[in-house]
Amino acid sequence: MHDVPCRDTFHLVAIGYVETPFLQLGDAPMQGKDAMLSGTIILRPAYAEGIKGVARGDRLLVLLWFHLGQRDVFRVHPRGDETQRLKGVFLTRSPHRPNPIALCEVEVESVSATRIQVRGLDAIDGTPVIDIKPVLT
Amino acid sequence: MHDVPCRDTFHLVAIGYVETPFLQLGDAPMQGKDAMLSGTIILRPAYAEGIKGVARGDRLLVLLWFHLGQRDVFRVHPRGDETQRLKGVFLTRSPHRPNPIALCEVEVESVSATRIQVRGLDAIDGTPVIDIKPVLT
């Protein structure tokens, strides 16, 4: 029984950002499973140690902060399609949500100390990266 | 070419928290795929609209904020096993990481306006919830 169960705000740090060919909203493919275009994760040097061991062929889950997302959205038309009924935002992958975190599964093409070249990054250029995790199979 | 590519801190809001039988660190199963114990997601009333449409049997990805995680950790022993070589933290699912976000896949058992009863929640009681997404298949 929690009356005040937890602090209600936290701060996130950008561990890096992405470089992609998508320069503005609308350019990036939606849930681009077919987004085989190359992109790059640029890590801030302070976090370089955290990717030691990443290798070509690894599948990674990249957590992005959709800095252009609207945070006061609670219901959306799925995939932005207005012919579809409004749905609770937590039943969708809309970039507009209270905490605009997106998940993107990518495959590693090459790695250097602070750069990971990947396939499948469907975010716009400059999107902050907040975490990277291995894909569990 | 980004010199100052993006703001480097962001604020997260807790959209709710979890109630589970795990009262302290070490109680919760690690990456508990077998964590079939029931738990509950308690949504803050302001976010209730966002879960409209959630139904029994749905599979959801719950994003948690591991408020007890250490944020200055860049290399870890996988699964806390000290016989294993240190690995970059982004190649692991360690709860100790710069932004201690965890992903937990659950199955919905029942729903009310602000509570979702689920199976598979492997976090300690009181852990803040920061996002909920549908599992894409």
Side-chain angles (χ1 to χ4, degrees), chain A residues 5-25:
Chain A
C6 55
R7 278 173 50 223
D8 64 354
T9 65
F10 314 102
H11 78 275
L12 279 175
V13 293
I15 61 167
Y17 64 96
V18 304
E19 275 181 9
T20 70
F22 311 117
L23 297 185
Q24 50 192 355
L25 277 183

Side-chain angles (χ1 to χ4, degrees), chain B residues 6-52:
Chain B
C6 54
R7 280 172 50 222
D8 64 355
T9 65
F10 314 101
H11 78 277
L12 279 176
V13 293
I15 61 167
Y17 63 97
V18 304
E19 275 181 9
T20 71
F22 311 118
L23 296 185
Q24 51 193 353
L25 276 183
D27 286 354
M30 243 189 253
Q31 289 300 322
K33 292 267 180 194
D34 53 356
M36 293 311 286
L37 283 162
S38 288
T40 309
I41 298 167
I42 317 285
L43 226 66
R44 298 197 158 168
Y47 299 98
E49 224 186 349
I51 60 164
K52 270 193 187 158

Side-chain angles (χ1 to χ4, degrees), chain B residues 1 6 19 36 49 53-54 59 68 78 88 94 115 118:
Chain B
M1 302 297 108
C6 54
E19 275 181 9
M36 293 311 286
E49 224 186 349
V54 170
R59 295 201 66 84
L68 302 179
S94 171
R115 299 171 72 93
V118 299

Side-chain angles (χ1 to χ4, degrees), chain A residues 1-2 5-19 31 33 43-44 46-47 49-54 58 60-61 63 65 67 71 74-75 87-94 97-99 101-103 125-136, chain B residues 1-2 5-19 31 33 43-44 46-47 49-54 58 60-61 63 65 67 71 74-75 87-94 97-99 101-103 125-136:
Chain A
M1 304 303 108
H2 306 269
C6 55
R7 278 173 50 223
D8 64 354
T9 65
F10 314 102
H11 78 275
L12 279 175
V13 293
I15 61 167
Y17 64 96
V18 304
E19 275 181 9
Q31 289 302 323
K33 292 266 179 194
L43 226 66
R44 296 194 159 169
Y47 300 97
E49 222 186 349
I51 61 165
K52 269 194 187 159
V54 170
D58 284 355
L60 300 175
L61 202 55
L63 278 69
W65 182 257
H67 55 309
R71 304 186 64 174
F74 301 96
R75 299 178 80 185
K87 232 180 174 175
V89 72
F90 300 126
L91 277 84
T92 78
R93 295 274 183 138
S94 171
R97 53 202 309 121
N99 293 307
I101 296 169
L103 307 177
D125 192 52
T127 300
V129 175
I130 56 173
D131 200 5
I132 301 171
K133 297 179 187 294
V135 171
L136 301 179
Chain B
M1 302 297 108
H2 305 269
C6 54
R7 280 172 50 222
D8 64 355
T9 65
F10 314 101
H11 78 277
L12 279 176
V13 293
I15 61 167
Y17 63 97
V18 304
E19 275 181 9
Q31 289 300 322
K33 292 267 180 194
L43 226 66
R44 298 197 158 168
Y47 299 98
E49 224 186 349
I51 60 164
K52 270 193 187 158
V54 170
D58 284 355
L60 300 175
L61 202 56
L63 278 70
W65 182 257
H67 54 309
R71 304 187 63 173
F74 301 96
R75 299 179 79 183
K87 235 181 172 175
V89 73
F90 300 126
L91 277 84
T92 79
R93 295 275 182 138
S94 171
R97 53 202 310 122
N99 293 308
I101 296 170
L103 306 178
D125 193 52
T127 300
V129 176
I130 55 172
D131 200 6
I132 302 171
K133 298 179 188 294
V135 171
L136 301 180

